[in-house]
Amino acid sequence: MASQSTELLHLYRRLLSCATYPSKNRWGIYEAIREEFRDNRAMNPDDPKTQKQIQVAYKGLGQLRMYDTVQLVSRKESFEYSTREM
């Protein structure tokens, strides 16, 4: 249980750090993440409904990372570096 709590805390932190990408609605997204975690903190981690919400959170993290400017810049630099080698 402690490892799952730690894993969820890391997920929460990663979601919050990715939610600050440049957007008109970034603070709304940030607050929605905080509110959602706050509302569900008392849920049983073994409940199938909780597991479904965790999967949705991971999917949301993947979607937020698509727009993360730091990752976009590193991908661009990586692409430019790989094309220079050819």
Side-chain angles (χ1 to χ4, degrees), residues 1 39-47 49-51 53:
M1 172 112 166
D39 290 345
N40 295 317
R41 67 178 161 209
M43 292 183 80
N44 179 6
D46 298 325
D47 186 24
K49 184 178 176 184
T50 304
Q51 294 299 320
Q53 287 187 310

Side-chain angles (χ1 to χ4, degrees), residues 47-64:
D47 186 24
K49 184 178 176 184
T50 304
Q51 294 299 320
K52 176 72 174 162
Q53 287 187 310
I54 292 169
Q55 292 304 315
V56 169
Y58 275 112
K59 184 177 180 181
L61 178 62
Q63 292 171 343
L64 283 172

Side-chain angles (χ1 to χ4, degrees), residues 8-9 13-14 24 30 36 39-40 44 50 60 70 76:
L8 289 176
L9 182 59
R13 289 179 180 163
R14 282 183 274 168
K24 282 178 18 180
Y30 188 86
E36 192 74 28
D39 290 345
N40 295 317
N44 179 6
T50 304
V70 173
K76 181 181 175 188

Side-chain angles (χ1 to χ4, degrees), residues 13-84:
R13 289 179 180 163
R14 282 183 274 168
L15 280 165
L16 289 179
S17 69
C18 286
T20 58
Y21 68 93
S23 168
K24 282 178 18 180
N25 194 28
R26 72 175 159 228
W27 297 116
I29 295 168
Y30 188 86
E31 284 301 315
I33 292 168
R34 291 181 67 202
E35 193 173 304
E36 192 74 28
F37 268 82
R38 211 177 289 131
D39 290 345
N40 295 317
R41 67 178 161 209
M43 292 183 80
N44 179 6
D46 298 325
D47 186 24
K49 184 178 176 184
T50 304
Q51 294 299 320
K52 176 72 174 162
Q53 287 187 310
I54 292 169
Q55 292 304 315
V56 169
Y58 275 112
K59 184 177 180 181
L61 178 62
Q63 292 171 343
L64 283 172
R65 284 186 170 170
M66 288 188 335
Y67 300 103
D68 188 5
T69 56
V70 173
Q71 285 193 352
L72 288 175
V73 169
S74 67
R75 280 191 211 144
K76 181 181 175 188
E77 290 171 355
S78 174
F79 176 74
E80 290 173 353
Y81 181 74
S82 66
T83 56
R84 275 188 259 148

